[in-house]
Every structure is written in structure tokens, then in C-alpha cells.
Amino acid sequence: ALNRKAARNLARLTGSRYDDLKVDREFSVKVADPDGERFREWQYLSGGTIDQVYLSLRLAISDQISADANRLPLLLDDILIQYDQQRADAALDWLIEKSRSGNQQMLLFTCQERLVEKIKTYGLPVHSIND
């Protein structure tokens, strides 16, 4: 169940470029090549894609341990730091959609002004600890 959920998350984050992964009991991750013919160790992926894999996995684990009616809040600390603009925009869109549709509180900490500006376009509250 965890592999299926994490794979769906990864497909959403990567625009279906990567749509399958396997996580073993030690949480070692292998990701299917875009052609789907073989699985590769995570070390063969770019830093941004690795971050997408682990975000997919973290969110899948959160869904597994959290009941629908009592979703655990998510505290996300600069999880999009290695994402390029396109990846960050897609991930942020999905996280906001997930938060709204899944009745789950998410707190995103970031030092990236580009993300703060995007969050503001959704009309969501932004608080700065520098203020």
C-alpha cells in the first residue's frame, strides 16, 4: 500500500515522468526508469528528483499513519529547496490542493521568496519570523 501511494504521489510531483517506485523494509528506494523497464537506485537520480521521491514517500507515510478524520498536521521545512521553479510550482500547487481537499493542516517553513510570493497568490496566510 505504501509503494502504491508513494508512486501515485511521485507521478503527481513529476508530471508522470516517474510513476513507479519500490520501498523495502529498510526504506531503501528504487525508482522505475521513465520507460518502466527497470528500477534504479535513488543515487542515479538528480538532487531535485531525489527530493521529489522522498517528499512522495513522506506524504505516503503520513497518509498511512493518519486517519482520514484526524489527519496529522504536516510541518514541512524548506522541502522544495532543491527544486527548480517548475518543480517547485507544481509541488506547491499539489500541496495546497492536498491540504484543502484532504482537510489537513500544513505549515511550510521557507527562506525562499519565490515560494512566499506563490503562496500569497493563493490568498493563504504568510507569516515571517523576521517581522
Side-chain angles (χ1 to χ4, degrees), residues 93-107:
D93 291 342
W94 180 57
L95 287 170
I96 290 168
E97 177 186 318
K98 182 174 172 45
S99 174
R100 287 180 171 166
S101 66
N103 195 27
Q104 186 171 29
Q105 181 182 30
M106 292 186 195
L107 301 173

Side-chain angles (χ1 to χ4, degrees), residues 84-126:
D84 58 31
Q85 189 66 46
Q86 182 179 357
R87 283 179 177 154
D89 286 347
L92 199 53
D93 291 342
W94 180 57
L95 287 170
I96 290 168
E97 177 186 318
K98 182 174 172 45
S99 174
R100 287 180 171 166
S101 66
N103 195 27
Q104 186 171 29
Q105 181 182 30
M106 292 186 195
L107 301 173
L108 174 65
F109 297 90
T110 186
C111 63
Q112 299 177 67
E113 192 60 35
R114 66 186 173 125
L115 295 180
V116 171
E117 293 307 315
K118 175 121 176 121
I119 291 167
K120 286 179 180 177
T121 67
Y122 279 96
L124 296 170
V126 173

Side-chain angles (χ1 to χ4, degrees), residues 38-129:
R38 65 178 172 211
F39 284 82
R40 293 197 179 263
E41 299 287 333
W42 62 269
Q43 297 96 323
Y44 293 100
L45 302 170
S46 70
T49 303
I50 291 168
D51 278 1
Q52 288 174 312
V53 168
Y54 281 105
L55 177 57
S56 299
L57 182 57
R58 283 184 282 178
L59 294 175
I61 291 169
S62 172
D63 287 347
Q64 292 280 111
I65 64 173
S66 187
D68 287 338
N70 297 313
R71 288 269 176 228
L72 295 171
L74 290 175
L75 302 174
L76 308 169
D77 187 9
D78 249 337
I79 58 166
L80 308 177
I81 195 80
Q82 291 197 65
Y83 287 34
D84 58 31
Q85 189 66 46
Q86 182 179 357
R87 283 179 177 154
D89 286 347
L92 199 53
D93 291 342
W94 180 57
L95 287 170
I96 290 168
E97 177 186 318
K98 182 174 172 45
S99 174
R100 287 180 171 166
S101 66
N103 195 27
Q104 186 171 29
Q105 181 182 30
M106 292 186 195
L107 301 173
L108 174 65
F109 297 90
T110 186
C111 63
Q112 299 177 67
E113 192 60 35
R114 66 186 173 125
L115 295 180
V116 171
E117 293 307 315
K118 175 121 176 121
I119 291 167
K120 286 179 180 177
T121 67
Y122 279 96
L124 296 170
V126 173
H127 302 282
S128 173
I129 59 173

